[in-house]
Amino acid sequence: MSKFIQLHVLTSYPASNLNRDDLGSPKRVVMGNTTRLRVSSQCLKRAWRTSDIFQNLGSEHMGVRTKEMGRHIFTALTKGCTLQDVLAGKAASGHAMLEEKEAVAIARTIAGVFGKNKSAYDPKKDVDTDDSRRKLLESLEIEQLAHFSQEEIAAISAQVEACRQNRKAPEEKQVNLLRTNIKAVDIAMFGRMLAAEKDYNMDAAVQVAHAMTVHAVTVADDFFTAVDDLNRDDSGAGHMGVSEFGAGVFYLYLCIDRDLLQQNLQDDAELTNRALTALLQAVAQVSPTGKQNSFGSHAYASYILAERGNEQPRNLSVAYLTGVNSKDDVLQDAITRLTDTRAHMNKAYGQKTECAELNILTGSGSLKDLAAFMVG
């Protein structure tokens, strides 16, 4: 079985602002002395793992990334409901309710297993009720995002109920909530890091490059106005603003360590194949959510080249070091450059990776065939 699976993907996005920087502009990168649009790998991975395609793998195989687990534990204990109900957004009750002081101690002890707690808060120092409540809840968070598997959430839920019965926090040395035998697909693919509990870290089996346009792009400004429907006295706009956007054909590269993915999923071959198929479908069909209400820029991949083999992986972005500058067909030129570069690389380095492709321009290949190639 091949160790590495590589995906080279070309997707054409119309006017859009899929991934913004701190000033609200589309993210960019300079490559080959020209400016390109960029979508970060973090943005892409979140869009994929929160998509319906990934959720259809089953909730038992999806993790939860949050720093607010302590807040939810506190709510479960003070509102008389289970942690699972709180996480599901249900307003259930019927369980014993604890005093806030007891719940705070329990929540901080349990959440602290997954990361460093924020500074404790003493509500006596503040007279403003709303502000005091906000500070209390924030003090129950951990300082960094942690990725929880469903196996660990089940263990936390059991611990919460035990604490509810005892009405006190457990001894820190007695808390056993972290798990290594987890089957969370998103954690298995994209990894996790627990700074204080390195034995429970997981190396990512899927590496994702930042997507970038294959050609130079100039970001444009959209000056827009909004009309006040009830204003009959003034013909002027009720609101004015400026929004930046760009368009282009993006190249995206992924490298999947199939052996590591299966290892991360407890050697479950069937789940590994389902995960690979879901990843391919999401990469091909799921767009980042940024500014979709304003631009409606949902796009499917127009070209996908999949490779499998045991040789050292390589990103083919060098094909676009000089930006595509075609007046006729940017997508076709981008495909030609990609396949030519692959052929030249294979010849120069003596590589013999197998490949399969999906090409919207020629109508060749299908997502189903590519999925079969990946899991085969």
Side-chain angles (χ1 to χ4, degrees), residues 5-11 209 250-256 280 283-284 301-308 312-320 334-335 338-339 341-342 345-346 351 353-359 370 373-374:
I5 299 169
Q6 300 176 81
L7 295 177
H8 308 271
V9 185
L10 294 170
T11 305
F250 287 74
Y251 169 71
L252 172 63
Y253 170 76
L254 294 88
C255 177
I256 304 158
L280 173 65
V283 167
S302 295
Y303 180 82
I304 303 176
L305 172 66
E307 298 180 288
R308 65 185 185 194
Q312 185 66 27
R314 73 281 184 273
N315 185 312
L316 294 178
S317 61
V318 68
Y320 310 113
I335 294 171
L338 186 66
T339 53
T341 300
R342 176 180 183 272
M345 281 271 189
N346 285 353
Q351 294 185 323
T353 54
E354 299 177 89
C355 73
E357 66 176 14
L358 175 157
N359 189 334
L370 278 186
F373 174 80
M374 287 176 62

Side-chain angles (χ1 to χ4, degrees), residues 24 34 97 112 116 147 177 196 207 259 284 342 368:
T34 58
M97 291 186 284
K116 183 180 179 182
H147 218 142
L177 301 174
Q207 299 171 341
D259 292 347
R342 176 180 183 272
K368 183 178 179 181

Side-chain angles (χ1 to χ4, degrees), residues 113-374:
V113 173
F114 295 85
K116 183 180 179 182
N117 281 314
K118 290 186 176 179
S119 299
Y121 172 68
D122 182 359
K124 295 178 182 176
K125 295 178 180 177
D126 202 315
V127 258
D128 179 40
T129 304
D130 290 340
D131 193 44
S132 175
R133 173 63 48 179
R134 178 182 61 79
K135 290 178 179 177
L136 174 63
L137 293 176
E138 285 183 356
S139 74
L140 301 176
E141 298 176 357
I142 55 177
E143 292 189 342
Q144 293 181 318
L145 289 168
H147 218 142
F148 298 78
S149 69
Q150 293 301 324
E151 291 86 349
E152 289 161 338
I153 291 175
I156 294 171
S157 297
Q159 184 70 70
V160 167
E161 293 311 313
C163 292
R164 193 194 304 273
Q165 294 293 323
N166 298 329
R167 304 187 76 89
K168 66 178 183 180
E171 296 291 334
E172 290 187 12
K173 294 181 180 179
Q174 297 176 350
V175 179
N176 176 24
L177 301 174
L178 287 162
R179 299 288 184 269
T180 56
N181 58 336
I182 62 177
K183 287 190 175 183
V185 168
D186 49 348
I187 297 176
M189 285 187 175
F190 307 127
R192 76 170 178 181
M193 186 184 75
L194 298 168
E197 297 287 352
K198 296 181 179 178
D199 290 344
Y200 298 91
N201 290 345
M202 185 168 281
D203 290 335
V206 179
Q207 299 171 341
V208 184
H210 292 215
M212 62 164 195
T213 55
V214 301
H215 48 76
V217 171
T218 299
V219 173
D221 294 331
D222 175 32
F223 170 75
F224 65 90
T225 61
V227 177
D228 186 329
D229 291 342
L230 298 182
N231 177 20
R232 298 181 177 85
D233 302 323
D234 185 352
S235 60
H239 174 75
M240 294 184 294
V242 176
S243 177
E244 295 185 77
F245 67 96
V249 177
F250 287 74
Y251 169 71
L252 172 63
Y253 170 76
L254 294 88
C255 177
I256 304 158
D257 186 332
R258 184 190 172 121
D259 292 347
L260 180 57
L261 179 61
Q262 186 160 322
Q263 177 185 321
N264 287 350
L265 292 173
Q266 312 306 310
D267 207 29
D268 188 331
E270 188 270 340
L271 180 58
T272 301
N273 289 341
R274 289 176 57 208
L276 286 171
T277 301
L279 178 63
L280 173 65
Q281 292 172 342
V283 167
Q285 298 172 293
V286 175
S287 302
T289 57
K291 289 279 188 178
Q292 286 291 357
N293 289 344
S294 299
F295 292 100
S297 53
H298 299 285
Y300 281 11
S302 295
Y303 180 82
I304 303 176
L305 172 66
E307 298 180 288
R308 65 185 185 194
N310 298 318
E311 294 160 312
Q312 185 66 27
R314 73 281 184 273
N315 185 312
L316 294 178
S317 61
V318 68
Y320 310 113
L321 195 56
T322 300
V324 174
N325 190 24
S326 172
K327 295 181 180 178
D328 298 321
D329 194 331
V330 173
L331 179 58
Q332 181 56 62
D333 284 0
I335 294 171
T336 302
R337 283 198 190 192
L338 186 66
T339 53
D340 286 352
T341 300
R342 176 180 183 272
H344 298 161
M345 281 271 189
N346 285 353
K347 181 180 179 182
Y349 290 97
Q351 294 185 323
K352 298 178 179 178
T353 54
E354 299 177 89
C355 73
E357 66 176 14
L358 175 157
N359 189 334
I360 297 301
L361 290 183
T362 61
S364 60
S366 70
L367 205 56
K368 183 178 179 181
D369 291 342
L370 278 186
F373 174 80
M374 287 176 62

